[in-house]
Amino acid sequence: MRPVTRNLVVALLVVVGLLLALGAVPSLLGTGDPYYVTATAVDAPDGVTPINGSNLSERRYPYTFGAIAAADEGTGRSDAYYRGPFGLKGSFTHSPFDERGAYETQYPGAVTEEGAYVRLDNVTYRVAVVRGES
């Protein structure tokens, strides 16, 4: 193998390794307070049209569906999300804040200051991002 080709292959392997590390590192950053999505079975307030949860994707809203799955006739909580230092993690990972922002943009009539209202299996849930303790 010629030295130029070898150096190019090594450089490409280093770049691929760095990109893989950037994808893995944010999920390993578990610093700071955890944030959760909570889902509480409630009646929707007047003037609020709940989101039809059957139209939502579990892959796009994993924190919402995790909280709803944990809500057995009460309040459920999703897995924890840690912001990580310097805001680096938010650029590379999906967060509960992304879900909240999507609700505000796509379903403004279903969002109040208390949270977004999602209706799934004939139950309306108030879905909110909360800061908690580990």
Side-chain angles (χ1 to χ4, degrees), residues 3 13 20 24 26 31-32 38 50 60 67 112 123 131:
L13 289 174
L20 287 172
T31 60
T38 60
R60 183 163 182 200
T112 66
V123 179
R131 189 164 116 183

Side-chain angles (χ1 to χ4, degrees), residues 36-45 48 50-51 53 56 61-69 71 74-78 95-101 103-104 110-120 123-130:
Y36 302 94
V37 169
T38 60
T40 306
V42 296
D43 291 327
V48 172
I51 300 163
L56 300 177
Y61 299 97
Y63 291 101
T64 298
F65 280 95
I68 289 174
T75 299
R77 187 169 83 168
S78 69
S95 76
F97 307 104
D98 295 331
E99 293 183 16
R100 169 73 186 209
Y103 292 143
E104 289 173 345
V111 179
T112 66
E113 288 187 22
E114 291 80 34
Y117 291 83
V118 178
R119 185 163 184 78
L120 188 65
V123 179
T124 301
Y125 297 95
R126 181 181 57 238
V127 177
V129 177
V130 297

